[in-house]
Amino acid sequence: MTTLRTPSYARDRRDKIVNPDFSGVWKANLPRSKLLGPQPKVPLATIFLSLGSNLGNREKNLRTAIAALPEANVRVTHVSSFYETEPVDLREQPWFLNCVVQAETEIPAKDLLRALGAIESRMGSKKVVPKGPRLIDLDLLLYGDETIDTPELQVPHPRMLQRKFVLVPLAEIAPNWKHPSWSGTVSELLTTARDPSVVRKFIASV
């Protein structure tokens, strides 16, 4: 009768069977939270977005963009009225329809910027002329109390305090908001804004 012997590579120095460790196999397929234990919850950031459109059905464009925000992990909490606004930088173009959205998100600001750009692209918006006509434009105005200054993103938006098409709808939904870098609240800064452009509340045609 032939006796089967355990190969030498499976025995330790005391001739005991070495139990193979397969932990690396099954652990590799587990979620990261299972491997590292409970992860700290990312705090919600209150954000403000400026939306604008001056091509096609402007009102529909704004509403379509707002409806797409949850897909970017953005939970909308307040939407201002829509305002017809006079072009500021490049004046020879159609008037804009603008609004400001207050929302909450857990994704980092740089990822949010890319998500907003993806919404613009899906809607067919193309930035052919700087400051020119837009099917839809989504700008990140504020990301909580953070100050961000990179080539890709500046927060607070560097020109927001000089633009009534931003300050008027922002003051409607968050008049007392004050970023640490500002000298006053939104409503206070609106009274000192030197932008002479026309901003009037939009009345939808029936």
Side-chain angles (χ1 to χ4, degrees):
M1 180 176 178
T2 303
T3 302
L4 296 177
R5 296 179 59 83
T6 302
S8 59
Y9 59 77
R11 291 179 290 171
D12 63 11
R13 293 179 180 178
R14 295 183 298 274
D15 288 334
K16 292 182 179 179
I17 301 297
V18 177
N19 293 322
D21 181 9
F22 295 104
S23 59
V25 177
W26 60 266
K27 282 185 179 179
N29 296 321
L30 286 177
R32 181 177 175 83
S33 60
K34 295 293 185 181
L35 291 174
L36 302 180
Q39 300 298 297
K41 187 175 181 180
V42 178
L44 281 173
T46 298
I47 63 171
F48 291 90
L49 308 173
S50 175
L51 282 69
S53 172
N54 71 339
L55 293 178
N57 187 327
R58 302 173 302 166
E59 181 182 5
K60 181 181 178 181
N61 294 339
L62 293 186
R63 296 192 185 282
T64 299
I66 294 169
L69 289 174
E71 300 174 12
N73 294 315
V74 173
R75 188 177 75 86
V76 175
T77 56
H78 296 88
V79 179
S80 75
S81 302
F82 291 176
Y83 291 84
E84 281 194 306
T85 65
E86 184 180 9
V88 176
D89 296 301
L90 184 62
R91 302 183 66 84
E92 298 301 320
Q93 60 178 317
W95 280 42
F96 282 83
L97 203 62
N98 289 95
C99 72
V100 167
V101 170
Q102 180 178 346
E104 295 177 334
T105 188
E106 293 180 339
I107 64 175
K110 63 179 181 179
D111 294 335
L112 175 60
L113 181 66
R114 297 189 188 99
L116 297 178
I119 293 174
E120 293 176 345
S121 297
R122 287 201 305 271
M123 290 183 61
S125 186
K126 298 179 180 179
K127 298 181 180 180
V128 179
V129 179
K131 311 296 183 183
R134 298 282 188 273
L135 180 74
I136 190 67
D137 193 31
L138 295 95
D139 287 327
L140 176 58
L141 301 175
L142 295 162
Y143 190 93
D145 288 338
E146 289 194 27
T147 297
I148 304 170
D149 188 7
T150 67
E152 182 183 26
L153 176 64
Q154 294 82 47
V155 174
H157 194 286
R159 293 178 299 279
M160 64 176 292
L161 300 184
Q162 305 164 14
R163 301 292 188 242
K164 284 173 61 179
F165 69 79
V166 171
L167 289 174
V168 170
L170 181 58
E172 178 188 330
I173 61 175
N176 298 318
W177 188 274
K178 183 180 182 297
H179 189 271
S181 66
W182 295 348
S183 60
T185 64
V186 172
S187 59
E188 291 169 344
L189 293 169
L190 174 59
T191 63
T192 60
R194 297 182 178 181
D195 179 7
S197 64
V198 177
V199 175
R200 61 194 181 204
K201 191 167 288 189
F202 173 69
I203 301 176
S205 58
V206 179

